[in-house]
Amino acid sequence: MNVRKVILYIATSLDGYIAETDGSIDFLTVETDAPEEDNSYEELLERIDTVVLGRTTYDQVVNELSPEQYPYEDKTSYIITHHEKPENADLIFTAEQPDKLVERLKKEEGKDIWIVGGGQVITPLINCNLIDEYIVTTIPVILGQGIPLFQSIKQSVVLKSVDSYCKNGMITSTYSKV
């Protein structure tokens, strides 16, 4: 049986914030004179068939980042929320706790699982050591305040550095569970 990996693929400011205090992510856009090709996002999409995200992140995706077309329409999406929403076969709104949901999904057949965000989803997964691979892109900006990537982590999580590269002025580092 195939063992599904849980992947956190996310960008953060140099000081560890995934969004500004008001939730905006404008800082993620880095202008470069000669953009270098980076296929890591496309490669991630090939590896996964499931995305898990919180309601705030989902709303940001469908209202701001990609209002014309849901970018994960060919994946099964689990949106963790306490608000009721109708679901279809590939868009599932659930009040299930992130750790319980991911534990259940890992047991099912399929490709890898992408944890899109935000902190309310990521924190319980880190606390239960359910993330197998961390792919973190560091944006060269210091925000000083905002929504931190790591919130209320109960204990240290030791990781193994797998890869790191710099493209377009951003550093992408990959870590795996030990």
Side-chain angles (χ1 to χ4, degrees):
M1 183 170 106
N2 171 29
V3 177
R4 302 175 84 183
K5 282 187 177 180
V6 177
I7 303 164
L8 175 63
Y9 179 94
I10 199 161
T12 179
S13 65
L14 181 60
D15 52 348
Y17 295 107
I18 57 174
E20 296 182 46
T21 306
D22 64 1
S24 68
I25 55 172
D26 297 337
F27 75 94
L28 294 177
T29 307
V30 176
E31 298 293 327
T32 58
D33 293 333
E36 298 173 83
E37 188 173 346
D38 183 357
N39 297 322
S40 62
Y41 180 72
E42 291 78 11
E43 291 168 6
L44 172 78
L45 292 178
E46 288 295 317
R47 292 176 58 188
I48 65 162
D49 63 3
T50 305
V51 298
V52 177
L53 57 162
R55 180 57 185 267
T56 302
T57 302
Y58 170 78
D59 286 345
Q60 190 170 48
V61 167
V62 298
N63 295 322
E64 296 172 38
L65 302 176
S66 187
E68 303 300 319
Q69 180 179 7
Y70 184 63
Y72 319 123
E73 64 185 15
D74 63 334
K75 315 293 182 199
T76 301
S77 293
Y78 289 87
I79 297 92
I80 299 174
T81 182
H82 294 291
H83 302 285
E84 289 300 315
K85 261 303 202 180
E87 60 183 64
N88 63 42
D90 295 322
L91 202 59
I92 302 162
F93 291 82
T94 178
E96 195 170 359
Q97 292 298 313
D99 52 331
K100 301 302 179 205
L101 172 64
V102 167
E103 285 173 344
R104 181 172 58 79
L105 292 174
K106 279 188 72 124
K107 294 175 186 171
E108 297 176 1
E109 275 296 315
K111 291 181 170 184
D112 293 339
I113 302 160
W114 176 21
I115 308 305
V116 179
Q120 300 290 326
V121 174
I122 296 167
T123 299
L125 300 178
I126 294 172
N127 284 333
C128 293
N129 202 20
L130 289 171
I131 299 175
D132 299 299
E133 189 173 323
Y134 295 75
I135 304 170
V136 181
T137 298
T138 304
I139 309 299
V141 63
I142 297 171
L143 295 177
Q145 59 184 344
I147 300 169
L149 171 56
F150 302 114
Q151 307 172 15
S152 305
I153 304 303
K154 293 180 182 175
Q155 60 190 15
S156 297
V157 177
V158 178
L159 303 170
K160 174 184 169 189
S161 180
V162 175
D163 187 33
S164 187
Y165 63 88
C166 181
K167 285 192 178 176
N168 300 309
M170 300 175 283
I171 298 172
T172 300
S173 300
T174 303
Y175 305 91
S176 66
K177 240 181 3 182
V178 176

